[in-house]
Amino acid sequence: MVKILAITNQKGGVGKTTTGVNLAASLAATRQRVLLVDLDPQGNATMGSGIEKRTLQQTIYQVLLGEAGIGDVRVRSTNGNYDVVPANRELAGAEVELVDLEQRETRLKSALATLVQEYDFVLIDCPPALNLLTVNGLCAAHAVLIPMQCEYYALEGLSDLVETIKKVRAHLNPELEIDGLLRTMFDSRNTLAQQVSAQLQEHFGDKLYRTVIPRNVRLAEAPSHGLPVLGLEKSSKGAQAYLALAGEMLSRAVPGV
């Protein structure tokens, strides 16, 4: 049974794309069939997967507008051993163009339905905003993965995101749930980070992933090489953390794994 996860947080710089690329590569390393959908006009997940976004003839933009099939647009990340539905700056125009189209919130869901059974996991890298692109991601997903830094403002933004998820569940996607909150760029020496982490544990319980993603130089360097961190340095703390997250996800999906 395929699992479709929207990776989202309206706050920028919390590690959404880093999580999308490295979780995709880590799941692929465990022989899972993985599709990464880049739904962000910045196209960072595309570039981080080793795909040159500037030379692409077709992207998720054409798919959302009904001008191309999603199977014709996807490309292979040879660096990460997973498939990618890429994005580039063209996607920025989709926000306006989707407004007048029928079923504007569920166009990604409809597109994915044509090939979703070819995969074990579909990861959707959403933009850092609660806009129509993000709503498409939430409507297509079974669950939401929320990357967040353990800092004061993160908690404030989290309540807005949870409210949006509730609205999407009530009106558009009754199956949608929170799969988990992922603590990213975590520095255990930081007292505030520890306090926020404890608050998250108290409020979200088992919805908080046990795996914590540390601040790591190799994680920061990997995108400049067009590589997941596994391809740059498998022994790094960042690579090992995302492998652990992949293992945690698989154990949730199949108890006893």
Side-chain angles (χ1 to χ4, degrees):
M1 186 74 178
V2 63
K3 184 164 189 175
I4 307 174
L5 283 172
I7 302 171
T8 187
N9 190 327
Q10 76 273 27
K11 192 174 186 302
V14 297
K16 286 187 302 296
T17 299
T18 297
T19 295
V21 169
N22 289 293
L23 180 57
S26 296
L27 287 167
T30 64
R31 300 191 178 183
Q32 301 297 301
R33 300 168 300 164
V34 184
L35 175 67
L36 176 61
V37 179
D38 192 349
L39 210 54
D40 188 341
Q42 295 178 83
N44 289 338
T46 299
M47 295 289 281
S49 299
I51 298 157
E52 177 50 67
K53 64 183 179 183
R54 298 175 189 85
T55 59
L56 294 168
Q57 298 301 308
Q58 292 183 312
T59 67
I60 187 65
Y61 172 74
Q62 280 77 23
V63 174
L64 292 174
L65 296 185
E67 297 172 0
I70 197 166
D72 299 325
V73 167
R74 66 178 164 177
V75 290
R76 187 72 174 170
S77 170
T78 52
N79 294 340
N81 203 29
Y82 54 85
D83 290 341
V84 181
V85 177
N88 57 23
R89 286 182 186 172
E90 268 191 314
L91 187 57
E95 181 72 14
V96 175
E97 295 174 66
L98 282 171
V99 170
D100 297 323
L101 297 180
E102 292 182 7
Q103 299 176 322
R104 60 187 182 185
E105 299 95 349
T106 57
R107 295 179 80 83
L108 177 60
K109 181 178 182 178
S110 299
L112 281 173
T114 62
L115 53 66
V116 74
Q117 296 306 322
E118 297 177 27
Y119 297 97
D120 301 303
F121 284 88
V122 176
L123 307 178
I124 305 170
D125 183 31
C126 296
L130 298 177
N131 57 20
L132 198 48
L133 291 172
T134 297
V135 170
N136 260 270
L138 295 176
C139 286
H142 299 136
V144 182
L145 188 164
I146 306 172
M148 60 181 297
Q149 287 181 259
C150 289
E151 56 184 30
Y152 175 74
Y153 290 119
L155 292 173
E156 192 172 312
L158 184 59
S159 61
D160 294 336
L161 179 56
V162 170
E163 198 58 39
T164 298
I165 292 168
K166 286 180 180 176
K167 288 178 181 177
V168 170
R169 184 166 55 218
H171 301 290
L172 295 165
N173 183 3
E175 296 180 0
L176 188 67
E177 61 181 35
I178 295 176
D179 191 75
L181 283 78
L182 178 66
R183 290 161 287 182
T184 59
M185 305 180 208
F186 191 79
D187 184 349
S188 59
R189 299 167 297 178
N190 186 313
T191 303
L192 178 60
Q194 291 179 347
Q195 291 172 347
V196 173
S197 180
Q199 285 181 279
L200 290 171
Q201 185 69 60
E202 183 181 339
H203 286 95
F204 290 94
D206 62 1
K207 289 293 184 184
L208 188 67
Y209 293 113
R210 296 189 307 275
T211 304
V212 177
I213 309 300
R215 284 196 178 276
N216 181 248
V217 173
R218 288 291 180 258
L219 270 178
E221 290 176 346
S224 66
H225 297 276
L227 289 168
V229 70
L230 271 179
L232 186 65
E233 190 176 324
K234 187 176 181 179
S235 62
S236 67
K237 289 183 178 179
Q240 291 302 308
Y242 277 109
L243 283 170
L245 179 62
E248 185 174 349
M249 285 194 162
L250 289 170
S251 67
R252 285 184 175 200
V254 185
V257 170

